[in-house]
Every structure is written in C-alpha cells, then in structure tokens.
Amino acid sequence: MSADRIHGDTANLKSSQSRALQRLGERRVPADRVISAALARDLLDLSHQLGRQLGLFIDRRGQVERVILGDAHSLSLPEFARVRGALGRLRGVRLIVTHLVPDPLTREELADLAKLRLDLVAGVHRGPAGIQLDLASLTPAAPGAAEVFTLRTWPRVPVSTLSRDLSTRPDDETPPPADAPDLPIDFTGFIRELEAKLVAATTDARAEARGTKATALVIHGGGPEVPARISELRELCRTAGIQLMDLVTQRRPQPDPRTFFGQGKLREVIVRALEQDCELLICDPDLTPSQAHAIADETELKVIDRTTLILDIFAQHARSADGKLQVELAQLRYMLPRMVGKGTAMSRLAGGIGGRGPGETKLEIDRRRAKERISALTRRLAELRQRRDQRRALRRSTNVPVVAIVGYTNAGKSSLLNTVTQSEVLAENKLFATLDPTVRRIRFPEDREVVLLDTVGFIRDLPPALLQAFSATLEEVADADLLLLVVDASDPDRDQQRAAVEAILGDLGAGKVPRLLVFNKCDLLAPEELAARREDAGPDTFFISAIDRRSTFPLMHAIETHLWERGMIERAATFTGDEP
C-alpha cells in the first residue's frame, strides 16, 4: 500500500510502525463479513502500541481503501473523491475504528455515519471478554418523521460473532446474543437489503421534499421581544424554502467574538446538525467576517447569517430590472468584506521584471472584480434613479398626489393595493413576497386621481446593505404626500413592528410625512377585542380587512379628505366604492 493512502500525522512514527500501517492497507477480509478476527486483533495491537486510534475504510469487496491515523481520542476522516450516494445509495465503504478503552461509539462517529452515508461503523476494543464490537448503521425512519434516515445500534458483540460462519461454530464457543439474526452476519445480504429500503424511503421523501435542511443559532439577551424574533426567523426560513430542523438559542450579552456560540457549544450544535443531515447553519444576529471564517473552519456545512438569508429571499422575489440590480448590489456590498482566502497558497506567479513574487492572489482578483461590479451597478442604478426623478417631476407637473403604502413585511400592503385598485399584484402569506415597488392610479369621482405606491416591506434590524441598495426606490416614500402605515392587527408583535417601521421611516427622511394608521387583518380578531381597539383608536386610525373591499371605504374617504384639506385635490363627491 502506498503512503498516500495513509491519512493522518505520520511524522513522528518509526519506520517499522509506518510499515505496519502500510501492511494493514494490504489486508483483505471476506466480502460477506464485517471484519475478520485476525485483522481486528492486529489493528488493536498496533493501535495500543502507538497510543492512538486507528481506522480502516473497507469497501464491499473486502479491500482496505484507506488507513486512518488519529490521536488518542478521535479520528479525522479524509475527504471522499466522489459525492455522497444519491437516492438512498450508501457510500460503499464501512468504517472500522479502534477504541483504546471500551467506550461505545461517540457522537462524532455516529455523525460521520449519517453525514457520509457509510455502510456501517464498527468500534473495536479489547475488554474482559476479549475483542468486542460496537455496531451502528443507518435505517429508514418511521413514517411521518422529519428525517428520512435514523441511526440503528446493536448490543455489543464478540468479534467472533461477525467474523465466522455461525454454521461452523464450535460447541465450546460462546453463542451469539438472542438477536443475532438481526446482526449484519452476512454483510453482503445485509447491505443489499438495507440499501433497497433506504432507496425506497428516499424516493418517498423526495416527493415530499420541503427544501434545504438547516439548523439556526440564535444569541439573545432575554426580554419580551425574543419570542417574536425567533418566530420571525422561522418565517424567514419558510419563505426561503428552508426546512428548519433545529433552532438552538443561547442567552448571553454578545456573541462569542470568535466562534459566535463558543467553541464547545458550537461543536455540540454541529454534531447535532450532522445527525439530522442538515446542510446549512443560520446565525442570528449577523456574523462578523472573522466569526464566519472561524465557524467555516469547524465544519463543512454552509454558514450564513440573517442578512444573507434576507438577501437570498430578495434574490428569489426580484422581478424587475431595477430590483435585480439592487439585490445584486446589496449582495456584493455585504460579501465584499467577508471574502477571505488562504494567503499566498492561492497566488498566481508572474515572471519578468516587476512580476516576481506572489503576484495577484485569487482573493485579490475576486475583490477587484467585486468592486468593479459594484461601481458598474452603482452607475446603472444612478441612471435608473434619474429616470424615476423625471417620472416624479412629470407627476408633480400634473398635480397628481402620491399615497405610499408602507409597513412591516407580510402586513398586507399588496393585498390592500389589489383590493382598492382591482389589480393583481402578487400577494402571498410570506415575508417579502412583493419586492419590486408597484405604482397604480386610483380614480375618485369627478375624475380625481391619486397615485398609490406599494413599497417593499420593512423588517426590524433592516440590513444596512439593503437600505443602501434600495435607497433609490425607498426615496419615493419620503417624496409622497401621504403614507398609509399598514399594521398586522392579528400579530402579537404588532407594536414592536410598528416601532421598527417608524424608525426606518425616520432614517429615510420620511418621519414628517403625514400618515394614516391602518390596522389590517381585523377579520382575524375576536369581535370584543376589535371593539375595544376601536374605542382606543385616534381619528387617523382605521380597521380593515384588505380582502374585503367594503371595509376600505372609510379609509378611502379619509385619503380624499386629507388631500383636500392640504389643497392637493379639490373636494370631490362622496366616495362610494363603485368606481374602478
């Protein structure tokens, strides 16, 4: 066996020990057996001699593919050249790992079994009863479970149970446990039957797939807003098409400056995520570049934060050219300081005078291209802003007032626009379902017109990258004659959401624009609760159901009255709601 098939730190080994590792790689076991007793004995002897754990990857033909050298407590497995098996297919190799003490399989070893889709994991150790094995494999999960696969472990068994044909067992040999027929004694038949079950389970699960599996990590300082914040993160995941398998919270004043959750807690969460076959870690609040880099060093899972999640939702929902450009600009501005590389290992060498040395690294090239793209997008958006300014000036010259609908995301702004203008703007029960601003004209009696503007929904802690990229669109709000601040009356977090919207309006320079407060989704409130809220409401507060046009009539009267009092339009006839 060549030395390159030995994985691990061999720098301090004697030449005889290195040769012993190479000889292990040349061994074979019967294809229908998990491991032979002789190989288990030699593997354990060498492991104890080195004082380090050893592991073997054995393929289904019984050939040792890799020898893995770890430390006294763990193994670091090599990467596979081929991707994980699809449609329930397993990796085609089993892992045999030595334990220097008779401990059961660790959580890390079980996580490797699940994440790498290994055929089997066997822990070999020497105890009072001789050499024994701890076994684990994947098995289809129960119907209705969130996971497709689950882990199965067997009671500890002597190595002879799985290394010899039971039909030839001597009379004086210790009999196998009562559940021996369930053990992978005939490994070839066992793995064939198991894989057929896994393929069937995976096929069924794919038909019901609900998106990428993820684990969320949330740091909070306590307080009444925590449940609403967690609920909002779950809703963001649902909108992005992410299946949130687990959400882990930690109460502390600030995230750990290096690993966000702390080294020990982070490793525990990563193991749990691997056990659930997650592909993604989502962190809230946002990660610093150094935190993102440190977490990426701990795991091969993809790591994102709340802002990245929101940007992904925006990218999914952008339809217009303006929206797509603004989303791309926001993504580039956010990712630019988070571009990290591996030093001069990624350098491009250039010869000749002035070209000696590491040259321009791949990281520098990526950053330069990102900056160039940001500059190009900024120029393009400036041109689009100029066109919008021209359209606004044209509207001003015709004395057509502008009413902007603003509010928290998923408060029902697009539904209100559809109802009062008889439009068909996309309106879904999702966060940021409507991204591109929509302008519609509404005609009052006596040919009086008002421009109704639907804007992108706001959210607490709106990422600065988004606010900056969408400034050209959101400036329409500051230039409006009247704001309709829409609040979801059925949301327990409505007061905090309203405060977040008010704060963002102030940042946009729209804090002094007159507004009407509109509580939407009142059909979801109990009659007595709605009556109590009406009693406490001010004169500029309205209670509607955006899907019921008749409930919007008082609001339309108020819009007409308000604009007339400010001299924007002449006093029109009474609004009946019968006009288109």
Side-chain angles (χ1 to χ4, degrees):
M1 181 182 185
S2 59
D4 59 351
R5 291 173 62 187
I6 300 175
H7 177 78
D9 184 9
T10 60
N12 297 321
L13 297 183
K14 299 177 182 178
S15 57
S16 60
Q17 294 171 335
S18 297
R19 288 195 297 271
L21 288 175
Q22 293 179 14
R23 286 195 294 270
L24 281 178
E26 297 168 356
R27 302 281 289 270
R28 295 182 64 92
V29 299
D32 60 347
R33 296 290 174 258
V34 173
I35 189 172
S36 65
L39 178 57
R41 182 186 62 249
D42 295 344
L43 185 65
L44 265 178
D45 288 345
L46 182 56
S47 180
H48 281 281
Q49 177 187 343
L50 297 174
R52 299 163 70 173
Q53 284 190 341
L54 291 177
L56 299 178
F57 277 147
I58 303 178
D59 63 22
R60 293 182 184 176
R61 298 170 298 173
Q63 176 69 51
V64 175
E65 287 193 349
R66 297 293 291 270
V67 177
I68 307 159
L69 178 62
D71 55 30
H73 307 288
S74 63
L75 290 177
S76 176
L77 300 184
E79 295 183 359
F80 283 92
R82 51 185 174 141
V83 299
R84 185 171 56 190
L87 280 177
R89 301 289 180 186
L90 296 174
R91 179 68 65 176
V93 296
R94 54 194 179 272
L95 171 64
I96 312 297
V97 56
T98 63
H99 289 176
L100 300 180
V101 293
D103 289 336
L105 294 170
T106 65
R107 291 190 65 181
E108 288 81 359
E109 289 163 348
L110 295 176
D112 289 334
L113 167 66
K115 189 64 179 177
L116 299 176
R117 301 279 178 85
L118 300 174
D119 288 357
L120 186 85
V121 170
V124 186
H125 61 83
R126 183 176 282 113
I131 299 177
Q132 294 181 308
L133 298 177
D134 291 304
L135 301 172
S137 72
L138 297 177
T139 190
E147 300 86 3
V148 180
F149 307 138
T150 187
L151 297 177
R152 178 184 182 184
T153 58
W154 283 271
R156 184 170 291 175
V157 296
V159 67
S160 58
T161 301
L162 303 182
S163 62
R164 181 180 301 172
D165 191 333
L166 292 179
S167 62
T168 63
R169 179 176 58 85
D171 295 336
D172 59 347
E173 185 176 311
T174 303
D179 59 352
D182 292 331
L183 289 168
I185 297 173
D186 177 8
F187 183 75
T188 303
F190 163 80
I191 205 67
R192 185 185 300 116
E193 181 180 355
L194 173 62
E195 200 163 51
K197 293 178 180 178
L198 295 178
V199 168
T202 305
T203 304
D204 293 341
R206 175 167 291 188
E208 302 175 359
R210 293 183 291 171
T212 302
K213 292 183 178 180
T215 293
L217 287 62
V218 178
I219 297 288
H220 65 85
E225 75 283 354
V226 174
R229 179 176 156 196
I230 291 176
S231 176
E232 187 172 88
L233 182 60
R234 291 185 182 277
E235 190 65 19
L236 285 170
C237 292
R238 184 182 73 86
T239 302
I242 293 173
Q243 184 181 359
L244 194 58
M245 304 298 296
D246 196 9
L247 191 148
V248 186
T249 62
Q250 189 177 72
R251 182 170 180 174
R252 56 190 299 169
Q254 297 291 335
D256 183 277
R258 183 176 182 274
T259 58
F260 189 76
F261 245 33
Q263 186 79 23
K265 184 67 174 179
L266 177 65
R267 182 162 184 80
E268 178 183 334
V269 170
I270 290 173
V271 170
R272 285 173 57 181
L274 292 175
E275 290 174 348
Q276 295 173 321
D277 201 25
C278 292
E279 306 170 38
L280 187 66
L281 287 181
I282 305 172
C283 299
D284 183 14
D286 289 344
L287 296 169
T288 64
S290 61
Q291 287 172 335
H293 186 57
I295 297 176
D297 287 342
E298 292 287 335
T299 177
E300 295 181 0
L301 299 177
K302 184 176 181 180
V303 182
I304 65 172
D305 55 22
R306 180 175 177 271
T307 292
T308 308
L309 180 60
I310 293 175
L311 286 170
D312 183 75
I313 295 173
F314 271 55
Q316 292 181 39
H317 293 170
R319 296 292 182 268
S320 68
D322 290 24
K324 292 177 181 179
L325 291 176
Q326 289 173 128
V327 169
E328 184 182 358
L329 178 60
Q331 289 175 326
L332 287 172
R333 282 176 170 165
Y334 186 71
M335 294 305 300
L336 182 60
R338 290 163 174 78
M339 290 183 178
V340 293
K342 298 182 179 179
T344 57
M346 300 173 66
S347 297
R348 179 184 63 186
L349 297 177
I353 300 299
R356 297 185 178 91
E360 187 178 32
T361 66
K362 177 67 166 57
L363 174 60
E364 290 167 345
I365 294 174
D366 291 341
R367 285 178 172 167
R368 175 169 52 81
R369 289 175 176 171
K371 291 177 181 178
E372 291 172 352
R373 182 59 178 165
I374 288 173
S375 298
L377 290 173
T378 302
R379 289 193 299 269
R380 176 61 178 158
L381 288 173
E383 296 174 359
L384 296 174
R385 174 183 294 182
Q386 186 177 5
R387 295 180 187 177
R388 280 193 294 270
D389 290 342
Q390 294 171 351
R391 289 197 294 268
R392 270 203 308 276
L394 181 60
R395 286 202 302 264
R396 287 299 179 197
S397 66
T398 59
N399 292 322
V400 177
V402 176
V403 178
I405 306 175
V406 298
Y408 211 77
T409 180
N410 204 30
K413 300 180 297 300
S414 298
S415 297
L416 176 59
L417 179 74
N418 287 338
T419 298
V420 300
T421 64
Q422 302 295 294
S423 301
E424 295 182 357
V425 176
L426 177 65
E428 293 183 286
N429 184 26
K430 292 182 178 180
L431 304 187
F432 304 112
T434 303
L435 176 60
D436 299 309
T438 305
V439 178
R440 294 289 186 272
R441 288 188 179 234
I442 180 170
R443 188 182 300 275
F444 286 83
E446 300 186 10
D447 292 332
R448 308 303 182 188
E449 288 188 340
V450 171
V451 170
L452 206 58
L453 172 67
D454 180 23
T455 62
V456 62
F458 298 152
I459 195 169
R460 63 167 57 87
D461 302 325
L462 186 68
L466 280 178
L467 194 60
Q468 185 178 7
F470 280 78
S471 60
T473 301
L474 294 175
E475 67 187 11
E476 298 271 5
V477 174
D479 199 48
D481 299 292
L482 179 66
L483 301 181
L484 302 184
L485 202 167
V486 180
V487 179
D488 183 353
S490 66
D491 196 317
D493 193 37
R494 56 187 171 273
D495 293 334
Q496 296 179 33
Q497 292 178 356
R498 179 183 171 187
V501 173
E502 295 278 8
I504 295 172
L505 290 175
D507 293 339
L508 295 174
K512 296 183 179 180
V513 178
R515 67 199 62 180
L516 302 178
L517 182 60
V518 182
F519 283 99
N520 186 28
K521 305 184 184 181
C522 292
D523 54 315
L524 302 179
L525 299 178
E528 55 274 10
E529 183 180 0
L530 179 58
R533 292 192 187 181
R534 288 184 186 275
E535 291 180 3
D536 297 334
D540 290 337
T541 302
F542 299 87
F543 296 85
I544 70 167
S545 171
I547 58 176
D548 179 8
R549 190 163 187 251
R550 297 191 64 85
S551 70
T552 66
F553 292 171
L555 175 62
M556 304 311 296
H557 283 296
I559 293 174
E560 182 185 2
T561 300
H562 179 85
L563 295 175
W564 171 74
E565 289 177 350
R566 293 185 59 209
M568 294 301 303
I569 62 174
E570 298 178 2
R571 180 60 174 169
T574 302
F575 180 81
T576 64
D578 296 328
E579 296 294 333

